[in-house]
Amino acid sequence: MPQILPDFSASVKLKYVKLGYQYLVNHILTFLLIPVMAGILIEVLRMGPEEMVGNVKSLRLDTVQILCSSFVIVFVSTVYFMSKPRSIYLVDYACHKPPATCRVPFATFKEHSRLILKDSPKSVDFQIRMLERSGLGEETCLPPAIHYIPPTPTMASAWGEAEVVIFSALDSLFQKTNLNPKDIDILIVNCSLFSPTPSLSAMIVNKYKLRSNIKSFNLSGMGCSAGVIPIDLARDLLQVVPNSNAVVVSTEIITPNYYQGDERAMLLPNCLFRMGGAAILLSNKKREKGRAKYKLVHVVRTHKGSDDKAYKCVFEQEDDQGKVGIRLSKDLTVIAGEALKSNITTMGPLVLPASEQLLFLFTLIGRKIFNPKWKPYIPDFKQAFEHFCIHAGGRAVIDELQKNLQLSAEHVEASRMTLHRFGNTSSSSLWYELNYIEVKGRMKKGDRVWQIGFGSGFKCNSAVWKCNRTIRTPSDGPWQECIDRYPVHIPEIVKL
């Protein structure tokens, strides 16, 4: 049948209606205050000089009242500024770039899998199918010990990987920031699976001869979301230790954790996890504000460990043959989605503009009172952030978050390209993604960045940063030699 009424969506540009609504609601206080202030100014201008003097005298303020009022104002102002949290600045950071000798092209991975698992061809085929769909590229890297056939995951080789990754990132950080290691007041290292004695933080103290009164921490067993946890810890410490520098090191040592069995749920990490690490300099010194790249705005941490299903979805254990590996549950993406919902429930009121919060509230009330079948309103987080750094844990995780948060391809580009170039580097992946955005020249002053990490436990942790200054395209870093090739098209399946 012919259409009698015109198509409303085509005849009215709803995009501009929505923009007008957002602008009106987000600036409602300004719109209300302007006429009030204008009215007061007009009344003041109508008064003559004598009338104004008379009004002031009618207040009958004596010297004692003026002094008491001044004291109260000074006291309240002092308490306010003394209790105000210290600003935490991210001065700079550096990421480890694995050497080309550690590359694992698809052909190498395929050949090594067949040689290592020669008695289990089905496991080899499974790994190859997973790699074809993983979203990884040809330049991801594994540590030298994994290149042997069979792999040699000794303690000495694990220490060797830790020294290469951590020291290279720290050396680069010290060079970029001109930081003297003696000026480090707080040191935090996170590495989930490799927790030796002495600790990795002690290894750094020994290498750089740090001060004897340094506050050092070594975090382990906290999974891929641990990249945000030391940021939260550093923030709390910098609130109580004035005029201090904190260095955070995030990494995952792959060498002792390469699974050589044939359980499929434990073979998947072999296809995803790769070498990587990052070192970050945080400071609460006011003089660092001028050169700092970012200011920390929020940290929100969500832990779903009280639920058994979530607790066991990423679990280190032995298989039937006594071989240790990480078991990934098939429900991982669903559990990650639930953890994200809990996280954004807390994050939303902190960052979303009033227009989005009102729409969410009205929809919630409508579903409760009028019709439970109403589609729930998903807040538009693009109104709160210009950039998103989603943990490059795997293609499925990125796809799920892109869908749930209604993000564009450009918003998840940094995550997809990091997964393609470096693989899943665990807790440090967020910093490779941030560096990708910077190298692309997209980071401007005032831009807001949302880092989202997922990890065992099960946890969803996120951090919000605000860009302090327009960042020039870095001339060094892990993307230096390959950024011109990115972004690249990543097919659904790469046939091997």
Side-chain angles (χ1 to χ4, degrees):
M1 293 180 62
Q3 201 172 28
I4 299 173
L5 296 175
D7 185 0
F8 182 76
S9 62
S11 60
V12 178
K13 294 185 177 179
L14 293 177
K15 172 185 175 182
Y16 297 105
V17 174
K18 184 177 180 181
L19 288 174
Y21 158 77
Q22 291 170 349
Y23 190 83
L24 175 64
V25 174
N26 294 340
H27 299 84
I28 189 67
L29 290 178
T30 304
F31 288 125
L32 292 175
L33 285 174
I34 287 177
V36 172
M37 296 300 294
I40 294 173
L41 182 61
I42 291 171
E43 288 297 321
V44 170
L45 293 175
R46 283 179 178 175
M47 292 182 184
E50 295 180 358
E51 188 178 356
M52 292 179 66
V53 172
N55 288 335
V56 172
K57 288 182 178 180
S58 65
L59 296 175
R60 297 178 181 178
L61 295 175
D62 57 21
T63 306
V64 175
Q65 289 176 321
I66 294 173
L67 289 174
C68 290
S69 300
S70 301
F71 173 78
V72 170
I73 292 171
V74 172
F75 177 77
V76 170
S77 301
T78 303
V79 171
Y80 171 76
F81 286 108
M82 290 293 290
S83 60
K84 188 177 180 182
R86 291 189 175 94
S87 297
I88 308 301
Y89 300 104
L90 191 161
V91 180
D92 213 332
Y93 64 96
C95 299
H96 168 70
K97 182 181 179 182
T101 54
C102 292
R103 284 179 59 237
V104 187
F106 294 152
T108 302
F109 186 92
K110 186 175 180 180
E111 181 185 6
H112 284 203
S113 294
R114 284 176 173 167
L115 292 171
I116 296 169
L117 300 172
K118 57 186 177 182
D119 296 327
S120 182
K122 290 185 178 180
S123 297
V124 175
D125 293 340
F126 172 77
Q127 279 193 307
I128 293 172
R129 287 200 307 273
M130 292 299 100
L131 187 64
E132 290 175 339
R133 295 162 173 79
S134 66
L136 272 67
E138 297 267 14
E139 297 182 86
T140 61
C141 295
L142 284 172
I146 308 301
H147 288 259
Y148 288 97
I149 301 172
T152 57
T154 63
M155 198 69 175
S157 57
W159 273 111
E161 181 193 351
E163 291 174 354
V164 169
V165 173
I166 294 175
F167 293 162
S168 69
L170 284 171
D171 289 342
S172 180
L173 179 69
F174 296 153
Q175 183 178 5
K176 291 169 73 172
T177 59
N178 294 319
L179 176 70
N180 187 333
K182 297 287 186 182
D183 294 332
I184 300 174
D185 303 287
I186 300 165
L187 173 66
I188 307 173
V189 180
N190 74 270
C191 180
S192 184
L193 295 172
F194 183 58
S195 184
T197 300
S199 65
L200 295 176
S201 59
M203 178 186 76
I204 296 172
V205 172
N206 177 260
K207 164 71 175 179
Y208 295 100
K209 309 305 178 187
L210 304 184
R211 302 198 318 258
S212 60
N213 64 342
I214 190 170
K215 296 173 176 61
S216 65
F217 302 84
N218 200 93
L219 309 179
S220 64
M222 308 196 81
C224 300
S225 68
V228 177
I229 296 173
I231 299 296
D232 188 29
L233 176 58
R235 178 190 64 171
D236 292 343
L237 291 169
L238 289 172
Q239 290 299 329
V240 297
V241 184
N243 203 37
S244 300
N245 293 319
V247 169
V248 171
V249 177
S250 291
T251 187
E252 189 60 79
I253 304 305
I254 305 297
T255 296
N257 305 300
Y258 189 85
Y259 178 63
Q260 300 182 56
D262 55 9
E263 278 217 31
R264 293 190 175 186
M266 302 169 78
L267 282 170
L268 187 55
N270 291 355
C271 305
L272 294 174
F273 285 91
R274 297 293 186 265
M275 284 180 73
I280 304 100
L281 172 60
L282 302 172
S283 180
N284 59 12
K285 298 180 179 180
K286 291 184 178 179
R287 65 173 180 267
E288 297 288 4
K289 180 180 179 180
R291 70 164 181 157
K293 285 186 172 182
Y294 304 95
K295 179 182 177 181
L296 183 60
V297 183
H298 300 293
V299 175
V300 173
R301 294 169 56 182
T302 304
H303 206 304
K304 307 290 286 185
S306 58
D307 178 68
D308 291 342
K309 199 173 182 181
Y311 171 67
K312 293 184 177 180
C313 73
V314 181
F315 212 86
E316 184 179 19
Q317 62 184 85
E318 296 174 333
D319 64 11
D320 296 337
Q321 299 174 344
K323 296 178 179 178
V324 178
I326 306 295
R327 181 184 296 276
L328 300 182
S329 168
K330 61 182 180 180
D331 300 320
L332 179 59
T333 54
V334 176
I335 292 169
E338 292 298 322
L340 176 67
K341 288 179 184 178
S342 300
N343 193 269
I344 64 178
T345 300
T346 305
M347 179 65 76
L350 298 175
V351 298
L352 286 171
S355 57
E356 290 299 308
Q357 295 195 47
L358 282 176
L359 284 174
F360 178 79
L361 178 63
F362 292 155
T363 307
L364 183 64
I365 293 174
R367 294 182 72 216
K368 292 288 185 182
I369 298 177
F370 300 108
N371 188 356
K373 294 183 179 180
W374 278 8
K375 186 178 179 181
Y377 179 74
I378 300 175
D380 185 5
F381 280 91
K382 298 186 291 295
Q383 296 291 326
F385 305 106
E386 285 74 30
H387 308 286
F388 296 81
C389 293
I390 300 168
H391 168 54
R395 168 178 264 163
V397 174
I398 300 173
D399 288 345
E400 190 70 18
L401 264 69
Q402 181 181 4
K403 177 183 176 182
N404 289 339
L405 297 177
Q406 299 177 350
L407 303 179
S408 67
E410 185 175 345
H411 285 127
V412 296
E413 181 183 314
S415 300
R416 293 195 190 279
M417 298 306 111
T418 297
L419 181 64
H420 182 271
R421 173 60 184 87
F422 296 100
N424 180 354
T425 60
S426 191
S427 58
S428 64
S429 66
L430 299 174
W431 303 105
Y432 287 89
E433 295 167 22
L434 187 60
N435 190 246
Y436 179 89
I437 297 170
E438 291 180 3
V439 174
K440 281 293 184 181
R442 298 173 183 171
M443 193 64 70
K444 310 298 180 185
K445 182 178 180 180
D447 283 1
R448 296 154 297 178
V449 187
W450 188 12
Q451 291 181 321
I452 311 170
F454 299 93
S456 58
F458 189 85
K459 299 180 287 293
C460 176
N461 301 322
S462 58
V464 177
W465 304 89
K466 186 174 182 180
C467 186
N468 244 10
R469 54 183 171 84
T470 299
I471 297 175
R472 297 177 182 176
T473 303
S475 58
D476 56 358
W479 294 95
Q480 179 185 5
E481 297 175 1
C482 62
I483 193 63
D484 293 337
R485 305 198 305 268
Y486 284 91
V488 298
H489 171 67
I490 305 175
E492 289 294 325
I493 300 176
V494 180
K495 292 302 293 182
L496 302 181

